[in-house]
């Protein structure tokens, strides 16, 4: 592959450690915990739902260490695409990275669409008379606005992200402070009979449902890895941003869950049509500091959701870029804006697919959407990266600025956690069949790959494509150190 001309538009390393951590944390919080705290209560049937947040944090940290090692060693645009390409190019050529990009085009927008649904849900507190049609139009308009905001150079977005991160931190600290001032420990300790009966099959079904919700809320700790080609000093920045964001958000979530239970009785959240379920945090502020403060904090929640959606689409738009540049995806995705230097087709495609996911979610329910996106993500990305670390550990030609702690324990924990979530997804989303749909999506992707491979005369219809390319040379040059 020819070298990139010196003056051609290209992704540049402009994101520092603090900005990378802010990107991760902004993506992780978003609207997620504000809409899933009551969902976690419903899953467990009581305040023992705190277990779900702890389990989610353990899986997030184990998986985060995988991202940290891979991201530090191979800081390219698109994250998993680069890791799977490097790990399996001597075995299956471009099949694994192709399937990842194929899957990412679906699961990343699905994650974003749940955020848009949550945004509209909380907006209903500020505009109680809003009907479904108006909410749908507002959600679609929000996606368009975010796409327009992202139509700029990365350095200005880094500064904007830090500002939005500060709003997010202020929002969650305000909610926690409000809970502390009106905290009722008796409500937190009001466990139903058999809450911790681990001999019951129902407990483990609830546990897995809670684990799925928990890991959904932690997703985003990998954002800096997706943007590895734009991170400065990636060998140190990416591992730090991953670990700091997971630990920081775990503390925030535990304080929020326990605090909310001390203000609103968990029995109120079981009614999915109640305000305690639809706009829980707004209700908490209303009961503690009054309606005026509740309105202000709800507005901050919407800003936090906006920040998460912006960061998610920003990172997602980079995923097809390296694949297209390597000739493993549609060529249009390899083009950068001539002056603003961002992948235009990737941004537009992610925006459109987010809009589609939002419309589907409005027609079904957000819980089912979470199950579907999780199943698709697990099948190729999560389990693929577990295998990638094991494969790359045997290679001597990969520079590793960072090695995960306690190897291979994080691989075992992450692998088992993702498998449990995957095989229980059908139970947690009856009628949607996430396992069948995820397998069908990957099967269609594999068929598409074989058609493409035959046309390109690459593996399995030609030799393994193990030639060096620009990203390989950048990695080998030690820029990740």
């Amino acid at each position: 592959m020819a070298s990139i001309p010196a003056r051609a538009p290209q992704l540049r390393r402009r994101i520092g450690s603090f900005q990378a951590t802010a990107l991760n944390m902004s993506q992780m919080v978003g609207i997620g915990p504000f809409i899933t705290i009551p969902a976690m209560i419903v899953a467990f049937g009581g305040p023992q739902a705190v277990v779900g947040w702890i389990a989610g944090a353990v899986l997030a940290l184990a998986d985060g260490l995988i991202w940290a090692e891979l991201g530090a060693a191979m800081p390219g645009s698109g994250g998993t695409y680069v890791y799977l390409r490097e790990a399996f190019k001597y075995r299956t050529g471009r099949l694994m990275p192709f399937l990842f990009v194929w899957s990412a085009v679906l699961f990343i927008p699905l994650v974003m669409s749940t955020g848009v649904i949550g945004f509209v849900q909380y907006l209903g507190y500020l505009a109680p008379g809003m009907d479904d049609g108006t909410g749908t139009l507002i959600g679609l308009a929000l996606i368009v606005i975010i796409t327009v905001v992202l139509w700029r150079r990365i350095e200005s977005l880094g500064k904007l992200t830090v500002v939005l991160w500060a709003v997010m931190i202020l929002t969650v600290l305000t909610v926690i402070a409000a809970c502390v001032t009106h905290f009722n420990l008796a409500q937190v300790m009001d466990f139903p009979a058999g809450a911790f009966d681990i001999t019951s099959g129902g407990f483990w079904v609830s546990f897995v449902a809670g684990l799925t919700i928990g890991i959904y809320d932690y997703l985003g700790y990998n954002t800096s890895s997706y943007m590895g080609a734009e991170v400065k000093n990636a060998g140190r920045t990416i591992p730090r941003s991953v670990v700091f964001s997971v630990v920081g958000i775990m503390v925030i979530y535990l304080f929020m869950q326990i605090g909310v239970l001390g203000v609103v009785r968990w029995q109120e959240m079981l009614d999915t049509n109640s305000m305690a379920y639809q706009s829980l945090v707004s209700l908490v502020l209303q009961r503690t500091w009054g309606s005026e403060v509740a309105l202000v904090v709800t507005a901050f929640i919407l800003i936090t959701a906006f920040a998460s959606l912006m960061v998610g689409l920003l990172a997602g738009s980079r995923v097809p870029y390296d694949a297209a540049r390597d000739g493993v995806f549609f060529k249009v995705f390899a083009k950068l804006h001539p002056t603003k230097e961002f992948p235009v087709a990737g941004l537009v495609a992610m925006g459109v697919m987010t809009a589609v996911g939002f419309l589907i979610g409005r027609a079904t329910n957000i819980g089912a959407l979470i199950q579907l996106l999780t199943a698709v993500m697990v099948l190729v990305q999560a389990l693929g990266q577990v295998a990638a670390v094991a494969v790359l550990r045997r290679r001597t030609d990969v520079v590793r600025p960072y090695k995960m702690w306690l190897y291979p324990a994080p691989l075992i924990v992450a692998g088992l956690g993702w498998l449990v979530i995957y095989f229980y997804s059908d139970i947690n989303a009856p009628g949607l069949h996430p396992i069948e749909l995820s397998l069908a999506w990957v099967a269609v992707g594999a068929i598409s790959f074989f058609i493409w491979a035959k046309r390109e005369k690459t593996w399995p219809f030609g030799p393994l494509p193990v030639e060096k390319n620009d990203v390989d040379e950048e990695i080998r040059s030690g820029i990740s150190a």
Side-chain angles (χ1 to χ4, degrees):
M1 183 174 177
S3 299
I4 299 174
R7 295 187 178 181
Q10 55 188 292
L11 299 180
R12 303 180 188 274
R13 297 187 180 278
R14 293 162 171 156
I15 300 175
S17 182
F18 181 70
Q19 289 179 333
T21 304
L23 281 168
N24 288 353
M25 293 181 72
S26 296
Q27 169 66 357
M28 291 170 76
V29 175
I31 199 70
F34 303 116
I35 61 175
T36 55
I37 286 177
M40 189 73 84
I41 295 294
V42 170
F44 276 89
Q48 68 272 25
V50 173
V51 172
W53 297 112
I54 297 173
V58 171
L59 177 54
L61 185 57
D63 192 58
L65 293 177
I66 293 173
W67 280 92
E69 177 165 325
L70 294 172
M74 294 167 284
S77 172
T80 302
Y81 162 73
V82 179
Y83 315 150
L84 298 186
R85 189 200 68 206
E86 285 294 299
F88 300 109
K89 66 182 181 180
Y90 294 105
R91 292 170 172 81
T92 59
R94 293 164 173 162
L95 174 61
M96 287 298 291
F98 181 95
L99 288 178
F100 163 70
V101 178
W102 175 268
S103 300
V105 169
L106 177 64
F107 72 72
I108 291 177
L110 285 180
V111 173
M112 297 303 100
S113 65
T114 61
V116 179
I117 292 171
F119 182 97
V120 174
Q121 189 172 305
Y122 262 83
L123 185 62
Y125 182 80
L126 299 180
M130 182 177 64
D131 58 29
D132 288 343
T134 302
T136 299
L137 291 176
I138 290 174
L140 294 174
L142 175 66
I143 297 170
V144 172
I145 291 170
I146 291 173
T147 304
V148 171
V149 170
L150 292 176
W151 205 272
R152 63 191 70 244
R153 297 177 72 89
I154 187 65
E155 59 264 34
S156 60
L157 288 173
K159 297 172 184 176
L160 177 60
T161 299
V162 171
V163 173
L164 294 175
W165 170 83
V167 173
M168 180 271 291
I169 292 295
L170 177 62
T171 302
V172 295
L173 290 180
T174 301
V175 173
I176 292 170
C179 293
V180 169
T181 59
H182 292 72
F183 188 73
N184 184 346
L185 181 60
Q187 289 182 191
V188 179
M189 304 303 292
D190 182 23
F191 296 107
F196 297 100
D197 182 7
I198 61 174
T199 63
S200 167
F203 173 85
W204 291 110
V205 171
S206 297
F207 177 85
V208 177
L211 177 62
T212 304
I213 294 170
I215 194 62
Y216 162 78
D217 279 316
Y218 284 104
L219 289 179
Y221 51 83
N222 51 6
T223 301
S224 58
S225 298
Y226 274 132
M227 303 182 67
E230 296 164 272
V231 173
K232 295 185 292 187
N233 208 4
R236 289 193 292 270
T237 296
I238 290 178
R240 289 177 180 176
S241 67
V242 170
V243 175
F244 290 168
S245 58
V246 170
V247 174
I249 295 301
M250 177 187 67
V251 173
I252 288 173
Y253 283 174
L254 288 176
F255 272 103
M256 283 185 62
Q257 176 73 85
I258 295 171
V260 164
L261 285 169
V263 176
V264 179
R265 296 174 64 250
W266 63 266
Q267 290 88 345
E268 296 181 57
M269 304 179 207
L270 299 181
D271 180 3
T272 57
N273 294 316
S274 67
M275 183 178 175
Y277 189 92
Q278 296 288 331
S279 304
L280 174 63
V281 174
S282 299
L283 178 61
V284 168
L285 270 297
Q286 182 178 304
R287 289 186 178 179
T288 54
W289 291 351
S291 299
E292 293 78 8
V293 175
L295 291 172
V296 173
V297 174
T298 300
F300 282 172
I301 290 174
L302 296 179
I303 295 173
T304 299
F306 180 90
S308 175
L309 292 167
M310 187 191 75
V311 172
L313 286 178
L314 172 68
S317 67
R318 271 62 177 171
V319 170
Y321 171 71
D322 259 356
R325 194 172 68 161
D326 289 349
V328 185
F329 210 59
F330 301 108
K331 293 181 180 179
V332 67
F333 287 93
K335 297 179 180 178
L336 297 177
H337 191 281
T339 58
K340 302 182 188 301
E341 298 180 315
F342 68 87
V344 177
L347 178 58
V348 173
M350 288 294 170
V352 171
M353 290 298 292
T354 298
V356 173
F358 168 69
L359 294 175
I360 293 173
R362 294 282 284 181
T364 55
N365 65 79
I366 191 170
L369 205 58
I370 290 173
Q371 295 293 341
L372 177 59
L373 73 88
T374 304
V376 174
M377 180 190 70
V378 168
L379 204 54
V380 176
Q381 182 184 52
L383 296 180
Q385 289 193 169
V386 170
V389 171
V391 169
L392 290 170
R393 280 276 180 143
R394 300 176 182 177
R395 295 253 300 270
T396 59
D397 60 333
V398 178
V399 178
R400 296 182 185 84
Y402 167 81
K403 292 185 177 181
M404 70 174 66
W405 310 321
L406 303 177
Y407 177 86
L411 291 188
I412 297 171
V413 172
L416 290 176
W418 289 121
L419 284 172
V420 166
I421 287 175
Y422 182 74
F423 285 113
Y424 273 79
S425 60
D426 272 8
I427 297 176
N428 293 328
L432 185 63
H433 305 296
I435 291 179
E436 290 85 345
L437 289 174
S438 64
L439 290 172
W441 181 261
V442 172
V444 173
I447 293 171
S448 300
F449 170 80
F450 290 130
I451 294 172
W452 173 86
K454 186 173 180 59
R455 186 184 64 187
E456 296 292 323
K457 294 183 174 57
T458 187
W459 187 92
F461 302 101
L464 283 171
V466 295
E467 69 279 0
K468 301 296 182 183
N469 56 41
D470 292 320
V471 177
D472 289 320
E473 294 307 319
E474 180 177 280
I475 293 169
R476 299 291 176 264
S477 70
I479 198 167
S480 60

